[in-house]
Amino acid sequence: MSSQENASFEHQGRPGKGQRLAGLMIQYGVGVRARSTCFINSVDENYFSDA
């Protein structure tokens, strides 16, 4: 194996490390930007209660 192939193999040798980093970045909002947001509405039961 050439040194270039070895370097490429070592770079790919830790699967999941990049996925974990990406997950943490998304979780804590570091270096990411929201492209869309999903809102889930629920009925406010206090709004309809008799006062």
Side-chain angles (χ1 to χ4, degrees):
M1 186 180 304
S2 72
S3 61
Q4 189 176 25
E5 289 173 335
N6 190 29
S8 176
F9 179 75
E10 288 176 5
H11 180 69
Q12 297 173 3
R14 291 186 165 181
K17 187 174 182 182
Q19 290 177 350
R20 185 173 192 285
L21 175 59
L24 290 170
M25 291 173 67
I26 292 167
Q27 180 180 349
Y28 292 102
V30 175
V32 296
R33 182 179 332 159
R35 293 179 62 184
S36 64
T37 306
C38 176
F39 291 97
I40 300 174
N41 294 316
S42 62
V43 175
D44 181 2
E45 294 180 21
N46 293 329
Y47 181 83
F48 295 103
S49 68
D50 293 316

